[in-house]
Amino acid sequence: MTKYGSFPGTRPRRLRTSPVMRRMVAETRLHPADFILPAFIREGVSEPVPIAAMPGVVQHTRDSLKKAALEAVQAGISGIMLFGVPEEAKKDALGTPGTDPDGILQVAIRDVRAEVGDDLLVMSDLCLDETTDHGHCGVLDAEGRVDNDATLERYAEMAQVQADAGAHVVGPSGMMDGQIGVIRDALDQIGREDVAILAYTVKYSSAFFGPFREAIASSLKGDRKTYQQDPANWRESLRELSLDLEEGADMVMVKPAGPYLDILARVADSVDVPVVAYQISGEYSMVEAAAEKGWVDRDQAIFETLTGIKRAGARNILTYWATEVARKLH
């Protein structure tokens, strides 16, 4: 008691007095099942290739990818999102490796399914940017612009070959208008009604994608501002959300995560389907770089960023730390 009477009578600090107390009253909890591991598979390499801009992340060989998938199962995470990196000579204007049953992504899907079966959700990136010689997420017209409707035809083919390879979930990330409806129809036409669609519903044209371009050996020149969203806007996110749900999305994503927690919260408050957030390459690399300099506590920063994403409303999180964090949670 102070000389001013009994105040403060209510002391919120009482609920912060020890680790056990703080754990008991925590409003947000991370669990291994929250996480999905993004992973890159590169064609034509005999050893994993470190990604300089993403310390600790590699472009996998087929064997190292299978090992990573098994480690993910053992850690208890829910899924692995696969990105294929074909040999440069195989890229073309149409992104042919993306629809070739023997393309590196389809090979990787089959490998991982054979290794882990249904113990891990095998998810596939459904986009053309990794496989085109121009690096855009779609087919270009005579003026060099991304042709939305021609691209949808390619996405339909990609969905079918990825499903045939064994994908549990496809993740259309190209931000083409109408992509979810076309992909759903394409899957249903070949009897793949059980393959789920994780829609990249809110995907901003972000500087934080930078390290990812190295990870997929991108051929992009220019930018993707005509199809990815303007960081200044939030209302169009809800419009995209409404359209994707009408077209049959089973889950929706916000990407990037950290710079757009306000958007994530709005989306999570608006829907009754699972909401996923992607903690992207730039978010990962900034923490790793600052930790390497000794400017932040690495583990604390990792857990703080992930807790913030979960608190904002994400049911699941794609993060390059997925397996590591899941092990620590155990």
Side-chain angles (χ1 to χ4, degrees), residues 32-33 35-39 48 56-58 60-80 112 115-117 119-121 320-328 330:
F35 299 116
I36 298 162
L37 176 68
V57 180
V58 301
H60 284 287
T61 67
R62 291 175 64 183
D63 286 341
S64 70
L65 179 64
K66 289 187 286 187
K67 180 182 178 184
L70 278 174
E71 291 173 348
V73 171
Q74 292 162 0
I77 73 173
S78 290
I80 187 168
V112 176
E115 192 73 21
V116 301
D119 292 337
L120 186 70
L121 289 175
Y320 299 96
W321 291 304
T323 301
E324 176 187 346
V325 169
R327 287 171 172 162
K328 289 176 178 175
H330 284 303

Side-chain angles (χ1 to χ4, degrees), residues 136-281:
H136 278 287
C137 297
V139 179
L140 302 184
D141 64 17
E143 304 296 324
R145 301 168 300 190
V146 174
D147 185 325
N148 190 94
D149 295 0
T151 299
L152 295 182
E153 295 293 325
R154 298 290 293 136
Y155 285 3
E157 295 177 57
M158 292 183 76
Q160 290 177 340
V161 298
Q162 290 178 5
D164 283 342
H168 294 102
V169 180
V170 294
S173 60
M175 293 298 289
M176 297 297 118
D177 294 339
Q179 63 184 14
I180 303 305
V182 166
I183 290 167
R184 182 73 272 160
D185 187 54
L187 291 169
D188 292 351
Q189 283 187 25
I190 62 168
R192 300 289 181 176
E193 296 89 351
D194 290 342
V195 174
I197 299 176
L198 168 55
Y200 284 59
T201 293
V202 180
K203 184 177 181 182
Y204 283 95
S205 180
S206 172
F208 292 96
F209 288 127
F212 183 85
R213 305 280 163 80
E214 179 189 342
I216 63 166
S218 175
S219 304
L220 180 68
K221 294 179 176 60
D223 58 52
R224 300 188 172 111
K225 292 181 179 180
T226 63
Y227 45 102
Q228 294 177 355
Q229 289 177 236
D230 184 344
N233 297 343
W234 67 265
R235 288 181 178 86
E236 68 177 348
S237 298
L238 299 185
R239 187 182 187 197
E240 295 277 4
L241 175 64
S242 176
L243 290 168
D244 281 356
L245 292 175
E246 287 176 11
E247 293 173 24
D250 299 290
M251 299 172 277
V252 296
M253 183 193 292
V254 175
K255 180 181 183 182
Y260 298 95
L261 294 181
D262 59 325
I263 307 300
L264 175 58
R266 289 178 189 271
V267 170
D269 287 343
S270 302
V271 301
D272 56 4
V273 299
V275 176
V276 180
Y278 195 150
Q279 185 183 55
I280 67 170
S281 59

